[in-house]
Amino acid sequence: MPDVITSFTNPTVKRYRSLAARKHRRREGAFTVEGLQPVWFAVRSEWPVDTLIVAPDLLTNEAAWQMVDEAGRDGIAVIWVSRDVFAHLSDRDGPSGLAAIVHGVVSGIADFQPSGSGPVVALHHVGNPGNVGAILRSADASGAAGLLLVGPCADPLAPAAVKASMGSLFSVPIAALDGADALFEWAAVVGRPVVAITGSAAGTLWRAPIPSTSVLLFGSEGDGLPGEVASMCEAALAIPMQGSAESLNLATAVSIALFEMSRRRVVGEQQ
């Protein structure tokens, strides 16, 4: 094993830290990943891994060690850092000792290739990266075909989004669009109806027939989906609620809608 880096000023250590900022991620076309499962998914995906960062005093998982050895033999750079340096890089309590720098950017809609005929999630002006990451995880688990970011949105490659996605970032196709008009133009070309999921709708998600190929459009955490955008959709539906709560967390609402779509597919297959 090569020498263990103990300096916080090591160039790779400084580079990893700099990628917390969106401007540096854009400039380099790279982002950071931390944790056993997310890094494992990154290495096994088609995303090019630039560097693995390993703290030998922290990494105890035998399978992870084997993966690091294989990655090194495949030409991926591996650096070894001390426990203190890794803690300096980590945003977690009890860090696992494994992180990575991965090359990649969010593509435009021209390069978007949905992974199947399931629903596509579209987020309009969503600003919380943790929500975006959690939505990626639900999209992956429910069999959604992809995620579209409409207008100014949080970066799905931000550390908080990558962390919340738990590796699903590497399984769900993602693309960004300038605005709602571009979304509706794309949906019309590919034949996917756009359905707004919004608390202000009169119709309910439980009762409405929704094509399995729909684009499910959600608004921002605070303001929701603008009425003029919802009015352009094939339908606008609400998630029925009881009790005193006025709204749901965005990631929760998306998860409910996606798994309702998944339930319908399963029921349809059984009939």
Side-chain angles (χ1 to χ4, degrees):
M1 183 173 67
D3 292 339
V4 174
I5 293 168
T6 59
S7 172
F8 292 176
T9 61
N10 173 271
T12 303
V13 172
K14 292 173 67 176
R15 179 187 177 209
Y16 186 100
R17 293 269 293 179
S18 74
L19 291 173
R22 191 169 191 168
K23 65 179 182 180
H24 292 299
R25 293 195 298 273
R26 285 178 169 173
R27 184 185 65 195
E28 283 207 37
F31 60 101
T32 60
V33 184
E34 182 187 349
L36 299 182
Q37 180 174 310
V39 172
W40 186 287
F41 283 5
V43 170
R44 300 304 185 211
S45 75
E46 296 181 358
W47 294 63
V49 176
D50 177 293
T51 305
L52 291 179
I53 299 172
V54 182
D57 290 344
L58 295 174
L59 187 61
T60 59
N61 184 283
E62 184 175 342
W65 273 107
Q66 182 177 350
M67 182 266 289
V68 170
D69 289 341
E70 291 174 356
R73 290 196 295 270
D74 289 340
I76 296 174
V78 180
I79 69 165
W80 310 88
V81 301
S82 68
R83 178 189 297 264
D84 289 343
V85 168
F86 198 91
H88 177 66
L89 299 177
S90 176
D91 63 355
R92 305 186 181 194
D93 296 328
S96 65
L98 182 63
I101 297 174
V102 180
H103 285 295
V105 296
V106 176
S107 68
I109 192 63
D111 297 321
F112 182 63
Q113 296 182 349
S115 58
S117 58
V120 170
V121 178
L123 304 178
H124 184 271
H125 292 214
V126 169
N128 185 313
N131 273 339
V132 173
I135 289 165
L136 280 167
R137 191 174 180 184
S138 292
D140 187 14
S142 64
L147 174 68
L148 298 176
L149 304 170
V150 184
C153 283
D155 183 5
L157 306 183
V162 176
K163 179 180 180 180
S165 83
M166 286 296 293
S168 291
L169 162 70
F170 301 107
S171 299
V172 179
I174 309 170
L177 304 97
D178 291 336
D181 288 344
L183 171 67
F184 289 106
E185 290 172 6
W186 172 81
V189 169
V190 299
R192 286 180 176 263
V194 182
V195 176
I197 308 296
T198 172
S200 61
T204 68
L205 178 64
W206 297 166
R207 296 182 179 276
I210 308 172
S212 62
T213 58
S214 295
V215 177
L216 303 181
L217 177 60
F218 297 81
S220 66
E221 296 90 346
D223 298 330
L225 193 64
E228 62 272 20
V229 175
S231 67
M232 299 170 66
C233 297
E234 296 279 340
L237 304 171
I239 296 172
M241 295 174 53
Q242 302 178 34
S244 59
E246 294 183 354
S247 63
L248 293 169
N249 169 270
L250 175 61
T252 300
V254 175
S255 183
I256 289 171
L258 286 176
F259 278 96
E260 169 61 11
M261 298 290 285
S262 179
R263 183 194 67 81
R264 294 184 187 191
R265 292 198 301 275
V266 171
V267 170
E269 291 170 358
Q270 293 175 344
Q271 290 177 345

